[in-house]
Amino acid sequence: SAYDRLSREFDHQIQDPVPLIFYVTHSQFEQNNIIPYFIPEGIGAFASPVRNRMVLPVDLPDGELFELVMHELTHIFQYDAIFQGRFGKGITGTPPQWFMEGMASYMAKDEGTIEKMFLRDAVVNDAVPSIIGRGAGGYMAYRFGHAAFDYIEERWGKEGFRDFVYEFRNTIGGRTDRAIERSLRIDPEEFDLDFRRWLRKKYLPELV
């Protein structure tokens, strides 16, 4: 189900089978030997761009497990569709974290009340970062990246989302500002300002 949904969203088919390595519990997942270091408790799963592998625990309720699969499988689609299966291109392209993780969160629809709380807090304190270029990092990259893709879909539709994603693929060095300008026909700075206005319009009424 996750693959069918994502293949429609990206308008892309992955030719090779996607290896799925799963563990019965999260504690077993933390001790996997696929990557050479211990995984912190806060990491729920990961996707490896080297062999396009998904690695995750399955001790979750069905709804959360589906969201987790959607999130990690989105990364596999990114590696295959955007970086065309070439690991080196993914590294040299240096995609911003908000682009990679925000898109995965957007596709998985894994935003709950706690995640929205962070966005409301940033809006009310006028702490929304610029999304152009590298944008937010760390945990906030997930939140603001997810919101940015929601904004793109609401204003330009699914076609606008795909145009932006594949224009990003065609830009040298992963220039999000150039991809925004070419695909959405809007000045990158204006996109940034409109995105902030959109967040205020969405979250300030809830606080009032």
Side-chain angles (χ1 to χ4, degrees), residues 22 34 41 79 85 97 101 114 116 121 129 140 173 183 189 198:
F22 65 90
I34 296 169
E41 290 184 6
Y79 303 150
Q97 190 180 13
E101 297 298 347
I114 294 177
K116 291 178 180 178
D121 184 69
M140 298 311 288
S183 61
E189 285 72 24
W198 179 81

Side-chain angles (χ1 to χ4, degrees), residues 39-203:
I39 298 177
E41 290 184 6
I43 303 298
F46 66 88
S48 169
V50 178
R51 298 181 182 177
N52 283 2
R53 295 182 294 185
M54 296 168 55
V55 186
L56 65 154
V58 293
D59 56 342
L60 293 168
D62 289 348
E64 293 181 27
L65 182 58
F66 182 75
E67 291 176 357
L68 187 65
V69 170
M70 282 286 290
H71 186 108
E72 300 308 327
L73 189 56
T74 297
H75 288 314
I76 302 299
F77 270 88
Q78 290 171 333
Y79 303 150
D80 196 78
I82 301 173
F83 304 122
Q84 300 168 300
R86 297 198 291 271
F87 180 58
K89 185 176 181 180
I91 294 176
T92 57
T94 59
Q97 190 180 13
W98 74 262
F99 179 89
M100 297 296 287
E101 297 298 347
M103 188 193 302
S105 179
Y106 157 78
M107 287 294 191
K109 307 300 180 193
D110 58 5
E111 188 176 71
T113 55
I114 294 177
E115 287 76 20
K116 291 178 180 178
M117 177 187 68
F118 280 91
L119 289 171
R120 285 197 300 269
D121 184 69
V123 168
V124 75
N125 289 291
D126 196 24
V128 177
S130 171
I131 206 70
I132 302 301
R134 307 311 301 172
Y139 175 75
M140 298 311 288
Y142 290 72
R143 304 283 56 85
F144 286 109
H146 184 149
F149 283 108
D150 280 339
Y151 163 67
I152 290 172
E153 179 184 344
E154 184 172 307
R155 180 166 177 181
W156 289 278
K158 291 293 186 181
E159 286 299 320
F161 162 76
R162 281 189 286 270
D163 288 345
F164 170 58
V165 167
Y166 289 117
E167 191 59 53
F168 178 87
R169 179 181 68 184
N170 296 332
T171 59
I172 298 174
R175 292 276 304 276
T176 52
D177 54 346
R178 189 176 298 170
I180 286 170
E181 191 170 24
R182 291 180 176 177
S183 61
L184 306 179
R185 302 293 189 268
I186 185 175
D187 183 78
E189 285 72 24
E190 187 65 25
F191 173 93
D192 214 25
L193 290 172
D194 281 351
F195 173 56
R196 296 184 196 187
R197 283 194 288 263
W198 179 81
L199 281 174
R200 287 196 293 270
K201 184 178 179 181
K202 182 175 182 178
Y203 287 108

